[in-house]
Amino acid sequence: MVTPDPVARLRDRLALTEDRIARQRAVVDGIVASVRGENVDDEHDPEGATLAWERQQAAALLAEAEQERDALHAALDRVEAGTYGVCEVCGRAIPAGRLEARPATTRCVEHAGAAR
């Protein structure tokens, strides 16, 4: 369902992102807790992925979610400032479909890949 109100759309996405952060933080904490006080030599474990790799993967997913949260907060600030939905490169309106797919975006499709 398309949410026409950008604030509602951003807040909905923010709520989902906050939930993702909480779940991912629990994963990271669980991995750390599972080896606390243990003498685990998972670097030589023939069973597959190491705990260090799993911890780093979980931490990377957590960092990605936190970056999305920060971008959503910045988008809410742009709504308040009256600049939400305006491409930071060319100053034209960002298409509604792009804002629906990527509500925190700061660039139109044409400038999406442009270097900062």
Side-chain angles (χ1 to χ4, degrees):
M1 181 177 117
V2 175
T3 306
D5 176 22
V7 173
R9 180 175 44 236
L10 290 165
R11 287 191 176 143
D12 288 348
R13 184 73 165 260
L14 186 58
L16 292 172
T17 302
E18 291 287 359
D19 182 57
R20 195 169 100 219
I21 288 169
R23 285 184 284 115
Q24 200 59 40
R25 189 168 283 131
V27 170
V28 171
D29 292 346
I31 293 169
V32 170
S34 73
V35 297
R36 188 172 293 130
E38 300 282 328
N39 185 11
V40 178
D41 182 13
D42 68 334
E43 298 300 321
H44 298 94
D45 182 0
E47 297 298 316
T50 67
L51 290 173
W53 182 87
E54 289 179 16
R55 184 177 59 244
Q56 288 301 321
Q57 181 184 31
L61 291 171
L62 174 58
E64 179 182 277
E66 290 171 338
Q67 287 174 348
E68 181 178 0
R69 178 196 56 205
D70 294 346
L72 290 165
H73 280 294
L76 285 166
D77 290 345
R78 288 191 305 277
V79 169
E80 201 170 296
T83 58
Y84 180 76
V86 177
C87 178
E88 69 181 6
V89 176
C90 66
R92 293 187 302 237
I94 298 171
R98 179 157 171 79
L99 290 171
E100 183 66 30
R102 301 183 59 92
T105 191
T106 60
R107 295 177 178 204
C108 65
V109 174
E110 181 182 345
H111 295 109
R116 290 193 182 257

